[in-house]
Amino acid sequence: MARGICKDYKTHMDFWDNYWVCSSVALPDPVLQKQYDNEMYKFGSASREHSYPISLQAVWTADNGKLPPWKGDYHHDLNTQLSYWPAYTGNHLKEGLGYLNTLWSQRDVYKKYTQEYFEKDGMNVPGVCTLQGVPMGGWIQYSMSQTVGAWLAQHFYLHWKYSMDRKFLEERAYPFLKDVATFLEHISVVDDKGVRKLVMSSSPEIFDNSIDAWFKDMTNHDLALMNFAFRAATDLAAELNRLEESAHWKQLYKQLPEYDLDKDGALAFAKGFPYNQSHRHFSHAMAIHPLGLIDWNQGEKSQNIIKATIKKLEDCGPDYWTGYSYSWFGNMKARAFDGGGAADELRTFAECFCLRNTFHANGDQTNSGKSKFTYRPFTLEGNFAFAAGI
């Protein structure tokens, strides 16, 4: 009241005027258009340059005296990452800085966790953490995963690639990535054949919270993230003319093994563990999306892997998918230049996994067989991954 309602209203309208002129999408499909417009409205509502990042429910957390689903915490298993996918092609880099500024400001907390838990130099990030970045625990194979920091580092890399802000590159993107790559170098080992690998490896949520969740061979999930971290560090160091550092990171990624493929040429979870079960988290396919390490434009070999991996996902079916799985799958099909297929997956998300207010409720709300999950916990990552898919 002291500031004045008229002044606040003008500030509010100025924000939205500036926000909506940054980008727009026009679609012939009214279902996809409505959902997209609502997702970008949510993104503008939940993100600011100097705010905390988008959590599971963000500004829509219910104040009913109870904990929201999954405690409303920061899940770096995929939830925060998917929530910022639309910041880049959507031209909302300023809003995306709320995520990056927080990750940057909490580095001391992350390094303390890295030293105490892993006893290694460099930096990793807890997969499940509080507002201040302190680890909260949970299923060990994703709450304390060795490659969480690498996925988060991708967002620093993307901000640089879309902004070409050299100050950000020098002061934020490369230092964050270098700390993560240093940790991955120290946590990994080189065997007698010269192959670099993790002693223990996991693929988020595969085999749940059991000893089977740890693989003796490196999973495609961990391999893709290590590959990305070392390659991106190589790229950024070279951009900064730090040629010795660039050569060092390049040597490390050349030591990594090939991705493991099943008999049909599709990405597997790990050696001897093909994707043969319906599962909501496409952790085995990280190299395709979001990391883009296996890309359609690379030619026939990569195209065959992408097609086989997509076919395997379709063959195993969506029994245990949630809404964000359809959003993620839409992004994967778009990467394969299958626009019609991408639209189909995104339309299923909008029609079957969202409430009337367009919020993602995880389970199939139509009982149409799109998933055996019919529950309705509300989380945001599916909404924003949908927008990125468009």
Side-chain angles (χ1 to χ4, degrees), residues 125-171:
V125 182
V128 181
C129 64
T130 68
L131 194 68
Q132 289 78 34
V134 177
M136 292 176 65
W139 291 7
I140 296 298
Q141 38 93 342
Y142 74 83
S143 67
M144 307 297 197
S145 165
Q146 299 158 95
T147 54
V148 175
W151 196 351
L152 296 173
Q154 188 202 14
H155 287 265
F156 284 85
Y157 181 80
L158 289 171
H159 185 92
W160 149 246
K161 292 301 251 185
Y162 278 81
S163 69
M164 286 290 148
D165 180 343
R166 292 198 67 83
K167 183 178 180 182
F168 180 86
L169 166 65
E170 188 168 1
E171 297 181 1

Side-chain angles (χ1 to χ4, degrees), residues 366-386:
T366 62
N367 294 312
S368 57
K370 301 297 184 181
S371 171
K372 288 186 177 180
F373 289 125
T374 57
Y375 56 4
R376 39 193 292 140
F378 152 48
T379 59
L380 285 162
E381 75 293 314
N383 291 116
F384 297 130
F386 169 94

Side-chain angles (χ1 to χ4, degrees), residues 336-353:
F337 289 88
D338 178 10
D344 289 342
E345 305 303 335
L346 298 176
R347 195 176 299 108
T348 296
F349 169 83
E351 293 181 333
C352 301
F353 290 85

Side-chain angles (χ1 to χ4, degrees), residues 286-327:
M286 291 282 294
I288 299 173
H289 187 76
L291 300 176
L293 299 170
I294 301 174
D295 186 80
W296 194 267
N297 295 308
Q298 292 164 349
E300 185 177 2
K301 180 181 176 182
S302 292
Q303 290 173 15
N304 287 339
I305 294 173
I306 293 169
K307 288 188 287 188
T309 302
I310 287 175
K311 184 177 186 301
K312 192 59 62 81
L313 285 165
E314 291 176 326
D315 289 347
C316 289
D319 281 357
Y320 295 101
W321 291 12
T322 58
Y324 76 67
S325 309
Y326 282 93
S327 292

